[in-house]
């Protein structure tokens, strides 16, 4: 394990890799995401310039990757649900590294069971609100629709969406919100924060399965995540959709690792 992801026993923040990409509809490879985030982290400083805090002073641990089966997503989701539930039962905060976006559903199911007033905050280029994708209701393109089914639309908010089908559009419009609005809406409710890295512009983050032109910058996303983590009662989160095989220069993996670093520091320094 890298020094960036040095293990700390009993740490509250627990990284869990979910190397799964069976429902990727365009370019698979997100299964390689967790390992590449770890590898790229070795090239980064542990000190955050923006937050003036060092990762080495943060209590976090890396549990490694779950051994997820491919094909039918149901067993993989059940394993993610079990693992994240176990961490939450210990009062710890699961921080899932994807994998494709469907992996979030396992963690969301666990969090929804444990926290009946759970709210979901979703950052993405895509609405992920399709009822199904080619008949599959468990798909990266349907993950937030399944969360809406589980919790109701009043308990889900989205930020950064710039692509959806015409069928998704009315629901997407009703869920879209700005960052201050999301923090006010959440109040002190338990929140699960899910970040699909394709919210970034493909120029900054080409290494992803479904790149969508017109996205935000690294600095913008980093600032937004630090702000959300500071303002929300985050009890679980994920960063998903790094596909390193699409990342010819390696910049996407470094970007993902730096986002993870900033999130860990924000989680461990919040009041
Ligand atoms: Mn997306
Ligand atoms: Mn997504």
């Amino acid at each position: 394990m890298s020094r960036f992801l040095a293990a700390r026993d009993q740490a509250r923040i627990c990284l869990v890799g979910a190397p799964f990409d069976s429902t990727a509809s365009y370019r698979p490879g997100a299964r390689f995401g967790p390992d590449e985030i770890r590898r790229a982290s070795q090239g980064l400083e542990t000190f955050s310039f923006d937050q003036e805090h060092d990762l080495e002073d943060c209590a976090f641990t890396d549990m490694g990757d779950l051994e997820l089966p491919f094909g039918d997503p149901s067993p993989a989701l059940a394993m993610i649900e079990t693992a994240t539930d176990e961490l939450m039962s210990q009062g710890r905060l699961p921080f899932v590294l994807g994998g494709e976006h469907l992996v979030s559903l396992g963690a969301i199911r666990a969090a929804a069971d444990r926290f009946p007033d759970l709210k979901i905050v979703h950052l993405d280029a895509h609405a992920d609100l399709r009822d199904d994708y080619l008949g599959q209701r468990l798909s990266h393109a349907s993950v937030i629709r399944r969360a809406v089914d589980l919790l109701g639309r009043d308990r889900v908010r989205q930020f950064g969406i710039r692509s959806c089908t015409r069928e998704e559009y009315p629901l997407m419009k009703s869920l879209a919100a700005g960052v201050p609005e999301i923090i006010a809406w959440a109040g002190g409710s338990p929140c699960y924060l899910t970040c699909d890295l394709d919210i970034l512009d493909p120029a900054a983050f080409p290494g992803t399965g479904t790149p969508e032109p017109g996205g935000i910058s690294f600095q913008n996303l980093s600032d937004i995540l630090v702000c959300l983590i500071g303002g929300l009662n985050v009890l679980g989160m994920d960063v998903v959709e790094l596909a390193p095989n699409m990342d010819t220069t390696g910049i996407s993996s470094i970007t993902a690792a730096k986002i993870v670093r900033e999130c860990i520091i924000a989680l461990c320094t919040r009041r």
Side-chain angles (χ1 to χ4, degrees), residues 242-259:
L242 167 66
N245 53 322
M246 300 295 158
D247 188 25
T248 53
T249 64
I251 189 64
S252 309
S253 297
I254 298 278
T255 299
K258 192 165 176 179
I259 288 289

Side-chain angles (χ1 to χ4, degrees), residues 143-161:
V143 58
I144 302 304
R145 180 62 171 271
R146 295 292 82 81
V148 169
D149 292 349
L150 191 64
L151 300 171
R153 66 172 69 191
D154 294 341
R155 290 204 272 143
V156 179
R157 287 296 178 272
Q158 297 184 312
F159 177 87
I161 314 302

